[in-house]
């Protein structure tokens, strides 16, 4: 899909705001091309919306991004919803958000059904083997990337280390870690702001200051704070979000898998500060160890699917819900249960994004440049480094080794690998993926493609050894 032509030259200022139809075509383009995780997705939005279309200014785009980073949930989804809302009010925000999520939803649903139905086929098993090993390297890269951004002094390092010990050694719930980090940042901003507010708001470059953008000439009455409109917005979107959850519980009962998933992923949507990698540790712990919806290695499979499809990375929750419902379909067929779970989990994960934007965006200027909020965000991000490191260690134990065991002495609860069960093939694929990712600076898609190829080679060698050995 090529980007739709505009009525004006991309290099000239817009003469009028885009029509709703023009906006739909551009947001559909962004949704289909939103690969590469949040960084890649935001880069695509910036190029299309700021540089090519000139619908939103550099300063306003970055300000919106800073606001979305303060919110729970996927910042890229919220950012595109924010821009759609600026251009065409609530309907514009809904359209932009839905078009951003929809391609990934369809792709992961198809891949998940193929996985659940064909996972025992030799070639598919080989592909999944390579995918999981490479995803481990990608998670390690995420730890390093986030760490470089925030671990700029001993205080941030201490917060990250404490978060890692808390979740890895003592199983402290992820939401409690996030709340604690935020409180530490708020208190620290009053005592030693220089050590805590390490994430500074981005500023626009001077070259964009004199350019006229579509948002400068659009009617922006809806962007002004209004208390009654805010209350109405909160009531409507809370009903859309939690109404189905309450109805499912009343209809199916508290123990049904749809009830459990609706409630669990609604809670996860509120605590997803720090991006998808952070909340994955929380989801993996609960989905595997508490609910038993999927096996440890399957979480890596789902993450690999989310990495290779368009849309937000947090869409991996759809895979978790679908696999869990496939294994526990109740009176439904496994495929029907998986599809319904995909819709349900996606709904309760992304509807809150619209709530945060439509209710909070008019007040975004009120939070701009607040040092206390910058300190809270810095502390949360530092804690996220420790949480994602825990995720990397957990994935490594279940990917590189065939068996693990649990240690529960002195109040600790550690999941450790049994060293004698090291899988050499998985180690080789993970090492190759890490090499091309860190040393050759390959992109995620190219790295995953290499891992899939290595998985097929491993399968072919094993097949030949079994046939001719």
């Amino acid at each position: 899909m090529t980007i739709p032509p505009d009525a004006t030259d991309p290099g000239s200022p817009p003469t009028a705001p885009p029509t709703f139809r023009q906006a739909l075509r551009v947001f559909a383009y962004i949704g289909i091309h939103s690969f590469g995780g949040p960084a890649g997705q935001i880069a695509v939005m910036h190029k299309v919306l700021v540089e090519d279309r000139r619908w939103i200014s550099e300063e306003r785009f970055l300000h919106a991004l800073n606001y979305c980073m303060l919110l729970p949930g996927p910042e890229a989804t919220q950012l595109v919803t924010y821009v759609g809302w600026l251009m065409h009010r609530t309907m514009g925000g809904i359209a932009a958000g839905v078009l951003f999520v929809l391609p990934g939803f369809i792709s992961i649903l198809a891949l998940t059904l193929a996985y659940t139905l064909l996972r025992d086929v030799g070639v598919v098993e080989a592909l999944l083997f390579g995918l999981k090993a490479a995803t481990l390297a990608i998670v390690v890269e995420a730890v390093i990337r986030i760490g470089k951004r925030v671990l700029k002094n001993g205080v941030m390092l201490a917060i990250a280390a404490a978060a890692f010990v808390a979740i890895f050694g003592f199983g402290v719930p992820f939401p409690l870690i996030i709340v604690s980090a935020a409180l530490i940042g708020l208190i620290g901003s009053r005592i030693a702001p220089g050590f805590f507010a390490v994430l500074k708001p981005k500023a626009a470059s001077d070259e964009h200051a004199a350019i006229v953008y579509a948002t400068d000439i659009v009617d922006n009455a809806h962007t002004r704070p209004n208390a009654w409109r805010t209350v109405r917005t909160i009531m409507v979107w809370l009903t859309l979000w939690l109404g189905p959850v309450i109805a499912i519980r009343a209809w199916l009962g508290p123990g049904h898998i749809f009830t459990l998933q609706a409630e669990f992923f609604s809670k996860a949507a509120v605590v997803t500060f720090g991006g998808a990698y952070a909340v994955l540790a929380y989801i993996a712990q609960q989905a595997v160890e508490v609910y038993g919806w999927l096996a440890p290695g399957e979480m890596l499979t789902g993450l690999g699917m989310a990495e290779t499809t368009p849309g937000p990375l947090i869409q991996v929750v759809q895979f978790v819900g679908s696999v869990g419902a496939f294994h526990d379909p109740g009176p439904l067929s496994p495929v029907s249960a998986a599809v319904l779970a995909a819709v349900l989990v996606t709904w309760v994960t992304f509807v809150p994004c619209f709530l945060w934007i439509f209710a909070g965006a008019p007040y975004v200027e009120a939070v701009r440049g607040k040092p206390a909020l910058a300190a809270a965000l810095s502390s949360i991000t530092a804690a996220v480094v420790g949480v994602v490191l825990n995720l990397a260690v957990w994935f490594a134990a279940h990917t590189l080794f065939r068996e693990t065991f649990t240690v529960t002495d002195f109040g600790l609860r550690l999941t450790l690998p049994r060293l004698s069960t090291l899988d050499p093939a998985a180690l080789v694929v993970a090492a190759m993926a890490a090499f091309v990712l860190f040393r050759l600076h390959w992109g995620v898609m190219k790295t995953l493609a290499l891992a899939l190829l290595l998985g097929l080679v491993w399968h072919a060698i094993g097949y030949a050894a079994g046939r001719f050995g």
Side-chain angles (χ1 to χ4, degrees), residues 104-106 108-109 314-323 342 345-346:
F105 172 82
I106 295 172
I108 291 182
L109 179 59
I314 196 62
Q315 195 74 46
V316 67
V317 299
Q318 174 189 335
F319 171 84
V320 176
S322 292
V323 172
V345 170
T346 300

Side-chain angles (χ1 to χ4, degrees), residues 306-396:
E307 291 275 13
T308 53
T309 53
L313 194 60
I314 196 62
Q315 195 74 46
V316 67
V317 299
Q318 174 189 335
F319 171 84
V320 176
S322 292
V323 172
F326 185 90
H327 293 319
D328 183 18
L332 300 172
S333 71
V335 171
S336 298
V339 172
L340 290 175
V343 174
L344 173 62
V345 170
T346 300
W347 181 268
V348 298
T349 298
F350 289 100
V351 167
C353 295
F354 297 104
L355 169 61
W356 313 142
I357 295 301
F358 297 150
Y363 299 90
V364 66
E365 292 299 326
V367 302
R368 186 175 184 180
K370 295 287 186 180
L373 289 174
L377 179 61
S378 299
S379 296
I380 289 172
T381 307
V384 162
V385 175
V387 172
V388 180
L389 178 59
N390 164 73
L391 179 68
V393 172
W394 190 85
F395 276 165

Side-chain angles (χ1 to χ4, degrees), residues 19-104:
T19 65
F20 189 70
R21 178 176 292 184
Q22 287 175 320
L24 287 180
R25 295 174 65 194
V26 170
F27 286 126
Y29 172 88
I30 291 173
I32 293 172
H33 291 78
S34 57
F35 293 90
Q41 293 158 1
I42 292 168
V44 170
M45 291 182 211
H46 184 273
K47 184 177 189 309
V48 174
L49 298 173
V50 178
E51 298 177 9
D52 295 344
R53 296 283 150 168
R54 295 193 175 178
W55 284 359
I56 181 172
S57 67
E58 176 90 356
E59 186 274 334
R60 204 163 189 177
F61 181 90
L62 293 175
H63 179 46
L65 176 58
N66 290 330
Y67 170 63
C68 293
M69 289 178 63
L70 290 171
L71 300 173
E75 63 265 29
T77 306
Q78 292 162 345
L79 180 59
V80 75
T81 302
Y82 188 103
V83 177
W85 169 80
L86 277 177
M87 305 305 306
H88 293 102
R89 302 174 181 263
T90 300
M91 286 306 299
I94 293 173
V98 169
L99 289 172
F100 186 75
V101 172
L102 189 59

Side-chain angles (χ1 to χ4, degrees), residues 265-291:
F265 287 107
S266 291
K267 181 170 64 174
V270 180
V271 298
T272 52
F273 295 94
Y277 285 111
V279 78
L280 277 177
Y282 171 54
I283 292 174
Q285 178 193 48
Q286 297 292 307
V288 175
E289 300 177 6
V290 177
Y291 295 105

